[in-house]
Amino acid sequence: MKNTEILFQNIRSGNLPEIQKLIVNEPDLVKAKDARGSTPLVLATYYNRVDITKFLLENGAEINAVDGSGNTPLMGVCFKGFTDLAKLLLENGADVNHQNSMGATSLIYAATFNKVAIAKLLLAYGANTEIKDARGTSALMHAKNQGFKELQLLLEKSI
């Protein structure tokens, strides 16, 4: 089995000591991609691995690297609802307004999945409420369409 596959398996299982060994011996592994185009950082955030995420960032992982759909680590944690990771990524310079291949942003994901705490955090870091996805739908419109009243009010106040 290749070291890349071993790295991704260890990220899924949360085995930080093994990940540390692999990266120390082969630093370029932080830039590896799996079959879906995910980097180690994308995968670590998807699985809510805070300690692994910190380690990868400290070892040169690209914070705005994208997966096969154009999603950044920040975007993934926004639809999953991992507020602590969202904060960590934003504090480390994640692009709050990146748009994926469908035009969605982190704020659009937070609105679509009713993640109020994350939406507040994104707004505090300058999320643009005017951006629309490929269907022409903004974060506010997503919140309205799904009846997420608290999120709708938050976004209306931010415009």
Side-chain angles (χ1 to χ4, degrees):
M1 185 179 296
K2 288 193 214 173
N3 282 347
T4 304
E5 293 168 20
I6 295 167
L7 174 64
F8 283 103
Q9 277 184 346
N10 281 292
I11 291 169
R12 285 185 194 91
S13 65
N15 188 345
L16 181 58
E18 190 59 33
I19 292 164
Q20 290 168 324
K21 278 190 241 169
L22 286 163
I23 300 292
V24 166
N25 291 329
E26 204 174 328
D28 282 347
L29 282 174
V30 296
K31 298 173 186 164
K33 294 212 174 203
D34 68 8
R36 292 185 171 165
S38 295
T39 65
L41 186 63
V42 169
L43 196 65
T45 57
Y46 185 84
Y47 280 94
N48 199 23
R49 306 282 189 212
V50 177
D51 55 345
I52 295 171
T53 298
K54 286 178 182 174
F55 174 77
L56 292 170
L57 288 171
E58 289 163 2
N59 284 275
E62 171 53 46
I63 198 159
N64 293 311
V66 295
D67 65 14
S69 299
N71 291 314
T72 63
L74 180 61
M75 296 173 89
V77 302
C78 288
F79 68 76
K80 291 282 219 164
F82 302 147
T83 308
D84 290 343
L85 270 176
K87 188 171 194 256
L88 175 67
L89 292 168
L90 289 164
E91 287 171 348
N92 280 278
D95 181 356
V96 73
N97 291 310
H98 174 83
Q99 290 181 270
N100 68 9
S101 60
M102 296 302 293
T105 63
S106 295
L107 186 60
I108 287 173
Y109 279 141
T112 302
F113 293 95
N114 200 26
K115 306 300 182 190
V116 178
I118 289 180
K120 286 179 183 175
L121 188 60
L122 294 169
L123 291 167
Y125 276 85
N128 183 340
T129 58
E130 303 295 317
I131 295 174
K132 294 180 179 171
D133 63 20
R135 293 188 189 113
T137 309
S138 68
L140 174 59
M141 294 162 78
H142 278 285
K144 272 185 187 176
N145 292 344
Q146 298 193 60
F148 299 144
K149 295 291 182 200
E150 184 181 359
L151 205 46
Q152 181 181 334
L153 290 171
L154 172 70
L155 293 168
E156 285 172 346
K157 286 181 196 170
S158 301
I159 294 176

